[in-house]
Amino acid sequence: MKVHEYQARELLAEAGVPVPHGEMVQTVDAATAAVEKLFSAGASLAVIKAQVHAGGRGKAGFVKLVKTVEEATEAAKFMLSNKMVSKQTGPDGLEVKRLLIADGVDIAKEYYLALTVDRAKNTNTLIASAEGGVEIETVAEKNPDAIHKVPLHPIRGLEAYQARELAFKLGFTGKQINQAVTIMLRLAKLFLESDASLAEINPLIVTPPTDDYPDGQVLAIDAKFNFDDNAMFRRKKIAAMFDPAEENPAELRANEFGLSYVALDGSIGCLVNGAGLAMSTMDIIKLHGGEPANFLDVGGSASEEAVTEAFRIILSDDKVQGVLVNIFGGIVQCDNIARAIIAAAKEVGFKVPLVVRLEGTNVIAARKILEEAMADIPTMVAAEDFTDAAVKVCAAVA
Ligand code: GDP
Ligand code: MN
């Protein structure tokens, strides 16, 4: 699960990581009012930032520094009425429905700091670089030595000595060192205690010297968090930050019915039970020259209602030119699937070829049900086996 930057900043602030003050708004008027408030409280610089679940906003023109209320209003208008297209969004871009209005800060230097899971090493890892602000992928490609990785102990987490060593390596000096160390330790603690899979601050900055901070202040001015979906049952506060407007609507609907659905780019809609069978179904489709339009696992105990919903989702994708049903009835019963096919046919109608391969529990009853319904579903074809099903559906969409 992803959250917005303004929500990630709230989590950071609560964990004691210094973050400039900010406010989330949803209209141009509210943006104007928020900036007026910042300026009348003494700020001379504000930053308007699009809140979408994608990065690369700076380069795309969706992070804007402003010195007047008029500039702020202009920027808010632009962001709320244009889609943001960045390296991370794909060519269609993302609609912006929320903005963060924050105190702008002067920057002396930008760093990168993140915690994530190193799957190859089976450890949580702190990643940091003195080359912050830009995309870390670019640094990794052009200057991999500039990226430091520190593995976390599974029980003790990040230890103070590790954070200090890293702060020195990154080139923090004087009073910046303790500030950076504190931030690293608090970020690592937050990462563990929130079941995050990514906690990224890019950039972590040092301000120019001020009276209060003669060596500059270390601040987080951007934050990106991802969380483990399977842990959200015990992280209610974070789960409540979920923003459905940022999700693929079909995937959201599937989720409500306990279906694992991932939209893909091909033309063959797949309805399968079990992740392993779903994988091999996609493989065999590709083997026979087709491209799957989705990954859909209705699960081991799918109800007729869930399966009907699965068909609704598949058939609402206009890229789908054919559907392959590949069910092995172990716990799920083939006759229930057959009834769901008929219910879906009545409700949404199969205008595209439908190839059905059923095997397992109650398969004889299921075949009988489908045979009797054949007249109502003229695009339906029964397959003998797995390969036959793949060949037939690939031929049907070719
Ligand atoms: P991203 O491009 O989506 O990662 O958005 P960021 O929040 O990281 O902003 C992009 C860049 O804008 C940062 O790397 C900074 O260089 C700049 N920026 C963001 N906020 C401020 C600010 O308050 N003051 C200044 N001077 N620059 C900022
Ligand atoms: Mn950033």
Side-chain angles (χ1 to χ4, degrees):
M1 189 189 114
K2 294 176 179 173
V3 297
H4 287 293
E5 176 197 359
Y6 76 91
Q7 296 164 319
R9 286 165 76 123
E10 279 168 22
L11 294 172
L12 286 178
E14 270 172 42
V17 174
V19 177
H21 171 76
E23 190 183 328
M24 190 276 285
V25 296
Q26 289 174 289
T27 63
V28 176
D29 287 347
T32 304
V35 173
E36 272 168 358
K37 210 161 57 184
L38 282 186
F39 285 152
S40 58
S44 54
L45 187 66
V47 58
I48 319 293
K49 311 181 78 176
Q51 300 295 287
V52 284
H53 287 182
R57 296 166 303 169
K59 277 194 195 137
F62 283 72
V63 171
K64 194 118 180 56
L65 288 164
V66 297
K67 290 198 165 131
T68 64
V69 175
E70 291 70 35
E71 277 179 282
T73 307
E74 199 62 31
K77 248 186 217 156
F78 172 79
M79 291 183 200
L80 289 172
S81 56
N82 284 285
K83 282 192 174 176
M84 183 189 104
V85 180
S86 83
K87 240 188 186 170
Q88 296 183 17
T89 62
D92 289 345
L94 293 174
E95 216 176 296
V96 180
K97 299 193 185 81
R98 296 168 190 233
L99 301 174
L100 172 68
I101 312 293
D103 264 333
V105 291
D106 291 328
I107 300 177
K109 180 151 177 55
E110 298 187 302
Y111 296 84
Y112 177 95
L113 181 66
L115 277 122
T116 189
V117 182
D118 185 334
R119 291 177 201 281
K121 290 198 178 126
N122 299 317
T123 56
N124 294 324
T125 303
L126 181 65
I127 302 176
S129 176
E131 305 207 357
V134 288
E135 281 146 24
I136 196 69
E137 293 86 349
T138 312
V139 184
E141 208 176 284
K142 302 217 167 107
N143 191 7
D145 293 343
I147 298 177
H148 305 277
K149 291 185 189 172
V150 181
L152 267 60
H153 187 279
I155 293 162
R156 294 195 297 268
L158 182 69
E159 301 196 69
Y161 82 88
Q162 293 179 300
R164 284 190 75 76
E165 202 173 72
L166 183 61
F168 281 104
K169 273 191 192 157
L170 291 169
F172 287 105
T173 57
K175 294 202 159 81
Q176 297 166 8
I177 296 168
N178 277 346
Q179 295 180 55
V181 166
T182 304
I183 290 172
M184 288 177 202
L185 293 171
R186 289 180 179 169
L187 185 67
K189 190 161 176 280
L190 174 60
F191 173 84
L192 290 173
E193 290 177 355
S194 59
D195 287 306
S197 55
L198 174 72
E200 181 188 82
I201 300 175
N202 187 27
L204 178 75
I205 63 139
V206 179
T207 66
T210 61
D211 291 344
D212 290 341
Y213 295 92
D215 290 340
Q217 189 184 10
V218 185
L219 286 172
I221 67 165
D222 185 18
K224 176 178 169 182
F225 278 64
N226 293 348
F227 299 96
D228 181 347
D229 291 339
N230 294 315
M232 289 302 98
F233 74 94
R234 62 179 187 188
R235 306 290 175 208
K236 297 276 188 291
K237 196 181 78 188
I238 291 163
M241 292 179 168
F242 181 69
D243 180 2
E246 294 289 321
E247 305 295 320
N248 175 320
E251 290 180 17
L252 259 188
R253 246 170 68 199
N255 236 332
E256 281 168 29
F257 282 83
L259 306 163
S260 304
Y261 173 86
V262 181
L264 301 169
D265 294 328
S267 59
I268 299 175
C270 309
L271 189 145
V272 187
N273 67 328
L277 189 58
M279 295 283 206
S280 45
T281 301
M282 298 200 308
D283 281 350
I284 203 165
I285 285 174
K286 293 202 91 132
L287 183 67
H288 292 283
E291 289 288 339
N294 68 281
F295 171 101
L296 196 154
D297 171 11
V298 298
S301 56
S303 63
E304 195 179 312
E305 194 198 10
V307 174
T308 309
E309 182 61 24
F311 278 119
R312 270 188 213 123
I313 293 168
I314 291 179
L315 294 170
S316 68
D317 177 354
D318 37 333
K319 286 198 301 291
V320 170
Q321 292 166 28
V323 175
L324 172 57
V325 174
N326 188 15
I327 298 285
F328 179 78
I331 301 168
V332 64
Q333 302 185 346
C334 292
D335 53 331
N336 282 344
I337 301 289
R339 274 189 283 271
I341 291 173
I342 292 164
K346 275 203 191 114
E347 198 193 294
V348 260
F350 284 93
K351 292 174 194 74
V352 297
L354 167 70
V355 179
V356 181
R357 181 251 174 175
L358 298 172
E359 207 54 75
T361 308
N362 292 356
V363 70
I364 295 171
R367 288 201 180 124
K368 196 153 167 274
I369 292 170
L370 289 180
E371 254 162 49
E372 282 163 9
M374 217 60 154
D376 297 329
I377 316 173
T379 66
M380 183 164 64
V381 178
E384 298 298 317
D385 56 36
F386 204 167
T387 299
D388 184 46
V391 169
K392 279 181 174 151
V393 77
C394 288
V397 303

